[in-house]
């Protein structure tokens, strides 16, 4: 079983995806299992442009659902078992249960996080989760600097 976005991603131009979500992936599909991931010769990576304005980006009025193992947030690349009410993290392949307010989830009743067209979304955090990492206050900002040394001169 593949994730809900596999078909959409395979049929869409990479430039269109980057324009819509401000994300560029090294592959057009995410591996469905650990075995598939180990067979890939090129590492999986994503280039995200966090300051790009996305006028159609949805803002969800609730807290994100995070993987119990690695902390990744539920997204369209996750595999979902609608009958068992669990989702499989696409990063660490851990199975996580949906919270009780997701009891009505089905293939016909998806939360916004699983819409194939919502790969980039924002959340409005509730007061109880604004300090997600620590109870003493908000987590400090995290900065990641990536320097691509393989870019051709034309792309600079």
């Amino acid at each position: 079983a593949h994730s809900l976005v596999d078909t959409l991603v395979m049929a869409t131009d990479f430039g269109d995806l980057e324009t819509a979500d401000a994300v560029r992936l090294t592959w057009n599909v995410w591996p469905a299992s650990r075995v598939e991931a180990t067979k890939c010769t090129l590492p999986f990576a994503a280039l995200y442009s966090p300051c790009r304005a996305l006028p159609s980006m949805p803002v969800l009025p609730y807290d994100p659902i995070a993987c119990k193992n690695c902390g990744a947030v539920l997204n369209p690349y996750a595999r979902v078992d609608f009958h068992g009410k669990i989702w499989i993290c696409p990063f660490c392949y851990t199975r996580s249960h949906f919270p009780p307010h997701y009891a009505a989830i089905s293939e016909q009743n998806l939360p916004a996080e699983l819409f194939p067209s919502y790969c980039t979304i924002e959340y409005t955090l509730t007061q109880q989760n604004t300090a997600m990492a620590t109870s003493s206050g908000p987590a400090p900002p995290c900065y990641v600097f990536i320097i691509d040394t393989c870019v051709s001169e034309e792309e600079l």
Side-chain angles (χ1 to χ4, degrees), residues 101-138:
H101 62 278
Y102 277 68
I105 190 172
S106 69
E107 289 185 51
Q108 294 77 31
N109 185 23
L110 293 174
E113 300 96 310
L114 294 177
F115 287 2
S117 57
Y118 286 178
C119 289
T120 300
I121 55 178
E122 285 188 9
Y123 291 91
T124 303
L125 300 178
T126 62
Q127 283 292 50
Q128 63 196 25
N129 281 334
T130 53
M132 290 178 76
T134 66
S135 59
S136 61

Side-chain angles (χ1 to χ4, degrees), residues 68-149:
K68 64 184 177 187
N69 184 47
C70 72
V73 175
L74 178 64
N75 60 74
Y77 294 98
R79 293 172 50 208
V80 177
D81 176 357
F82 295 104
H83 180 55
K85 306 294 185 211
I86 60 170
W87 62 282
I88 301 169
C89 177
F91 299 102
C92 69
Y93 303 105
T94 299
R95 296 173 178 268
S96 298
H97 290 276
F98 283 106
H101 62 278
Y102 277 68
I105 190 172
S106 69
E107 289 185 51
Q108 294 77 31
N109 185 23
L110 293 174
E113 300 96 310
L114 294 177
F115 287 2
S117 57
Y118 286 178
C119 289
T120 300
I121 55 178
E122 285 188 9
Y123 291 91
T124 303
L125 300 178
T126 62
Q127 283 292 50
Q128 63 196 25
N129 281 334
T130 53
M132 290 178 76
T134 66
S135 59
S136 61
C142 176
Y143 300 98
V144 178
F145 296 97
I146 301 171
I147 301 171
D148 185 352
T149 60

Side-chain angles (χ1 to χ4, degrees), residues 9-95:
V9 172
M10 287 189 282
T12 306
D13 179 49
F14 287 115
D16 293 341
L17 288 173
E18 188 176 357
T19 301
D21 292 322
V23 178
R24 181 186 294 190
L25 301 172
T26 55
W27 289 88
N28 62 341
V29 292
W30 203 263
S33 68
R34 289 180 200 249
V35 173
E36 284 183 20
T38 59
K39 291 180 182 178
C40 296
T41 56
L42 186 67
F44 287 88
L47 176 62
Y48 181 67
S49 303
C51 295
R52 179 178 286 171
L54 299 173
S56 62
M57 181 172 51
V59 178
L60 304 180
Y62 50 85
D63 295 320
I65 297 174
C67 172
K68 64 184 177 187
N69 184 47
C70 72
V73 175
L74 178 64
N75 60 74
Y77 294 98
R79 293 172 50 208
V80 177
D81 176 357
F82 295 104
H83 180 55
K85 306 294 185 211
I86 60 170
W87 62 282
I88 301 169
C89 177
F91 299 102
C92 69
Y93 303 105
T94 299
R95 296 173 178 268

